[in-house]
Amino acid sequence: MPGSWTKRGKDSYRLQVSMGTDFKGDPIRFTKTVHCKSDAQADKELAKFYAECEAGEHGQSQSITLAAFADKWMKEYAEKNLKKATISIYKGTIKRYIKDSIGVNQLSKVKVLHVQQWLNYLQDEKKISQKTIRNCFFLLNNIFHYAMKWSYVRSNPCELATLQARNRKEADYYTNDEVIALLEKLTALPKDKLYLRIGIMLTLFTGMRKGELMGLSWDDIDFESCTLSINKTRQYSPDFGTYTDTPKTRTSVRKVSFPAECATLLRKLRLQQEERRLEIGNKWKASEFIFLNDFGAPMCANGFTKLFRAFLESSGLRTITFHQLRHTHASLLRYLNVDEMQISRRLGHSDLSTTRNIYTHLFENTDQSVSEKLSNTFLKSGTEK
């Protein structure tokens, strides 16, 4: 048996088991202290300990806390496979909602009841939203999935926990009348706010995400066909600062058409930037991006969030978030009877179910309209009998 024990006191024995080597070739050793009345009993405990180690039931998993394993998961998996925006969100979630609560428990001793009590704690004491609770739960479930995969635990306690039924909140957006009012206010913006007018209009009429808008470069614009290519994003996070990344999903890389009026405004913006470049000379910072500050450097990645809020307040318009312009785009397409698949493609969703889940309220009357069309075509066209 690849193990041994050492007597360390009157009835204390230190067990040691070797289980092969790690990827560097260094031996993997597990230790455990037990209390035995005789050497024969120590032999039995060693055999039992060896069986536990061989089954993956001992070693690091016996002492590592959930919080420590979450850090290991971040380092060994998340930071090497996930997008920076996701990594930043996960780090914040682990720090705020896992480490100092359920995270203090040993990983191998977290039970279904612990997970259930943690979910109740987040709801009743932390008073956080259902959406945030679900995000916390799905992250914890993912962490335990890898704990099983890496043989730290034998089961995932999240699988049997009960997550409170979700009360879906309808995505907020502007009505058609509010869109018309918004466009009227945009035309009144001064010349030096042309970039803001364009940013709002492009988001409203293409449904692109804020990061996708900030990632637009002049090479992405096809003025002839009035289409733009979405192939990168510019974002900011406290962990990474401002950075450029690929879009959210594979289907987020797409071409989207936009109104010819936007093309006219984009040409004016490009001319305006060229005039500014000539005005300040070598102080101008050359950049590939469309949305720039007064010195030619890219705008702050989160710049439109505050600018849009200030614009709405000064214009007397109902306050919505900049992201809700994307929701407004979806509602406009539905009003124009654009089919669900085309809406999903324009928004860059990974599949149609994502679109339906977010915009249930836009599609919930679809089935009723089908029956009305059947009735009008085949039943009401003839005489009643």
Side-chain angles (χ1 to χ4, degrees):
M1 180 187 302
S4 61
W5 54 256
T6 303
K7 193 169 184 179
R8 307 189 68 182
K10 184 177 180 181
D11 62 352
S12 179
Y13 291 79
R14 182 174 182 270
L15 311 181
Q16 180 172 288
V17 169
S18 297
M19 297 295 294
T21 61
D22 62 17
F23 74 100
K24 295 180 180 178
D26 297 328
I28 300 173
R29 295 189 179 94
F30 299 134
T31 60
K32 180 181 180 181
T33 299
V34 296
H35 295 280
C36 302
K37 294 181 179 180
S38 64
D39 292 353
Q41 187 179 353
D43 287 334
K44 292 180 180 179
E45 288 294 330
L46 179 61
K48 181 181 176 182
F49 181 47
Y50 175 78
E52 290 174 355
C53 293
E54 192 172 41
E57 298 175 358
H58 204 84
Q60 289 177 303
S61 63
Q62 293 292 309
S63 59
I64 191 171
T65 63
L66 170 56
F69 181 80
D71 288 339
K72 179 182 286 290
W73 176 81
M74 285 295 306
K75 180 181 179 181
E76 301 297 338
Y77 172 74
E79 292 179 2
K80 292 176 171 56
N81 294 280
L82 304 180
K83 290 186 174 296
K84 291 180 178 178
T86 304
I87 294 169
S88 187
I89 291 171
Y90 282 177
K91 282 185 175 180
T93 300
I94 290 170
K95 180 179 179 179
R96 286 191 293 271
Y97 303 122
I98 294 178
K99 278 197 170 182
D100 295 331
S101 52
I102 195 172
V104 301
N105 294 282
Q106 288 186 11
L107 180 70
S108 61
K109 293 184 178 180
V110 176
K111 306 301 180 185
V112 177
L113 179 59
H114 295 134
V115 177
Q116 198 66 59
Q117 291 172 333
W118 172 68
L119 291 172
N120 295 337
Y121 161 76
L122 294 180
Q123 176 181 299
D124 300 334
E125 294 188 39
K126 282 291 190 178
K127 306 292 184 183
I128 62 177
S129 68
Q130 278 192 348
K131 181 179 179 182
T132 302
I133 291 175
R134 295 182 77 85
N135 290 342
C136 290
F137 177 73
F138 292 142
L139 173 57
L140 186 68
N141 183 54
N142 201 10
I143 290 171
F144 268 105
H145 169 77
Y146 278 88
M148 285 181 61
K149 196 172 183 179
W150 296 343
S151 300
Y152 276 77
V153 295
R154 300 185 70 181
S155 62
N156 181 350
C158 294
E159 291 179 353
L160 295 178
T162 302
L163 194 60
Q164 187 180 47
R166 185 177 184 179
N167 294 323
R168 290 193 176 275
K169 184 179 179 181
E170 291 186 359
D172 195 13
Y173 57 90
Y174 271 169
T175 64
N176 291 358
D177 289 341
E178 287 175 315
V179 168
I180 292 171
L182 170 66
L183 294 173
E184 288 176 351
K185 294 293 184 180
L186 286 175
T187 60
L189 281 173
K191 181 181 177 182
D192 63 348
K193 291 293 189 293
L194 178 60
Y195 68 92
L196 178 60
R197 181 182 177 186
I198 293 172
I200 294 172
M201 289 182 65
L202 281 179
T203 305
L204 179 66
F205 290 125
T206 68
M208 69 173 67
R209 302 174 179 92
K210 180 181 64 177
E212 295 170 344
L213 176 74
M214 300 309 295
L216 283 178
S217 60
W218 288 109
D219 288 344
D220 297 325
I221 306 298
D222 187 330
F223 287 97
E224 296 301 318
S225 63
C226 288
T227 59
L228 55 85
S229 297
I230 297 173
N231 51 58
K232 58 187 177 300
T233 67
R234 282 188 69 248
Q235 302 190 59
Y236 170 83
S237 79
D239 296 296
F240 302 101
T242 300
Y243 61 92
T244 303
D245 202 350
T246 55
K248 188 173 183 180
T249 64
R250 180 179 57 81
T251 52
S252 294
V253 178
R254 61 200 188 278
K255 281 192 175 183
V256 183
S257 61
F258 57 84
E261 291 80 356
C262 291
T264 300
L265 294 176
L266 281 165
R267 286 190 176 96
K268 288 183 179 180
L269 179 64
R270 188 163 61 176
L271 178 60
Q272 195 178 87
Q273 290 176 351
E274 179 62 18
E275 291 173 348
R276 176 64 177 168
R277 183 186 69 80
L278 294 174
E279 178 185 347
I280 65 174
N282 58 13
K283 293 181 181 179
W284 181 261
K285 309 291 184 183
S287 172
E288 63 176 312
F289 298 105
I290 291 177
F291 296 100
L292 310 173
N293 62 23
D294 288 341
F295 294 93
M299 275 181 59
C300 172
N302 289 332
F304 270 101
T305 301
K306 293 182 179 179
L307 289 170
F308 182 61
R309 187 188 304 119
F311 164 72
L312 295 182
E313 290 175 356
S314 64
S315 302
L317 297 170
R318 181 169 68 89
T319 299
I320 63 172
T321 66
F322 192 78
H323 184 76
Q324 285 164 347
L325 288 174
R326 175 172 162 87
H327 298 330
T328 303
H329 178 68
S331 74
L332 295 178
L333 296 183
R334 192 59 186 158
Y335 172 77
L336 296 172
N337 291 319
V338 176
D339 67 79
E340 297 175 41
M341 184 58 73
Q342 191 172 354
I343 294 175
S344 184
R345 286 171 179 166
R346 282 184 70 86
L347 294 174
H349 285 157
S350 56
D351 52 55
L352 185 56
S353 64
T354 303
T355 312
R356 287 175 172 165
N357 288 338
I358 297 174
Y359 303 109
T360 304
H361 54 290
L362 297 181
F363 304 119
E364 58 189 4
N365 295 322
T366 302
D367 190 64
Q368 182 63 34
S369 67
V370 169
S371 63
E372 290 174 358
K373 289 177 182 178
L374 288 171
S375 176
N376 291 333
T377 302
F378 298 104
L379 298 178
K380 295 180 180 179
S381 59
T383 58
E384 293 185 1
K385 296 183 180 180

